[in-house]
Amino acid sequence: MRHRKAGSKLGRNPWHRRATLRNLVTNLFEHGRITTTLTRAKAARPVAEKIITLGKRDTLQSRRQAASYIMTPQVTQKLFSEIAPKFADRAGGYTRIIPAGVELKKKENKEKTKKEETAEAKS
């Protein structure tokens, strides 16, 4: 019985599963969107969320923890300089699962949408 055994094994050994998730998260941060299966996307999403939360802290310890998980130093630098500041005012929910895979959410500006609505109403 698999009672209380959360998470998918992805049909891999533990070390292979960890390597797969590391590659998925690294590619997600590098490209902003990845194409993968729904199961892999659901497995990679919580890991990516935790790494972005590390990036929001921006301490030496969080940089080391993120660098130990992310595969390339350039992507680690991008996480702390571009990705994490974009989500500074957001408390979770940085990624979304789309039919083709996973993507980082775009920053939504509610003020612009209200201004656009009033402009459309006037026309």
Side-chain angles (χ1 to χ4, degrees):
M1 289 183 280
R2 289 196 74 232
H3 297 297
R4 300 184 63 161
K5 305 282 191 232
S8 176
K9 291 189 174 185
L10 302 176
R12 290 164 164 71
N13 295 330
W15 57 271
H16 193 190
R17 183 170 49 252
R18 177 174 157 84
T20 300
L21 290 175
R22 286 179 69 189
N23 282 320
L24 286 171
V25 170
T26 301
N27 288 326
L28 174 64
F29 293 154
E30 185 175 2
H31 302 291
R33 176 185 289 184
I34 54 173
T35 303
T36 185
T37 63
L38 181 63
T39 307
R40 287 183 190 159
K42 286 182 178 181
R45 183 180 193 176
V47 177
E49 302 268 340
K50 288 176 187 174
I51 299 293
I52 293 174
T53 304
L54 280 176
K56 286 172 57 175
R57 281 191 224 142
D58 198 15
T59 61
L60 180 61
Q61 179 63 19
S62 62
R63 283 183 180 267
R64 286 179 175 169
Q65 286 177 334
S68 71
Y69 197 84
I70 296 174
M71 303 292 270
T72 58
Q74 294 84 10
V75 176
T76 305
Q77 182 65 30
K78 182 178 179 181
L79 170 70
F80 284 93
S81 64
E82 298 174 23
I83 298 171
K86 186 168 70 171
F87 297 114
D89 57 340
R90 189 179 189 103
Y94 316 117
T95 60
R96 67 179 185 165
I97 296 177
I98 56 175
V102 182
E103 74 176 2
L104 295 174
K105 286 188 177 178
K106 306 232 182 331
K107 187 170 183 171
E108 299 171 0
N109 196 346
K110 294 181 182 178
E111 293 176 8
K112 287 185 180 178
T113 57
K114 288 180 183 177
K115 290 179 183 176
E116 291 173 359
E117 289 174 6
T118 56
E120 290 175 5
K122 290 179 182 178
S123 331

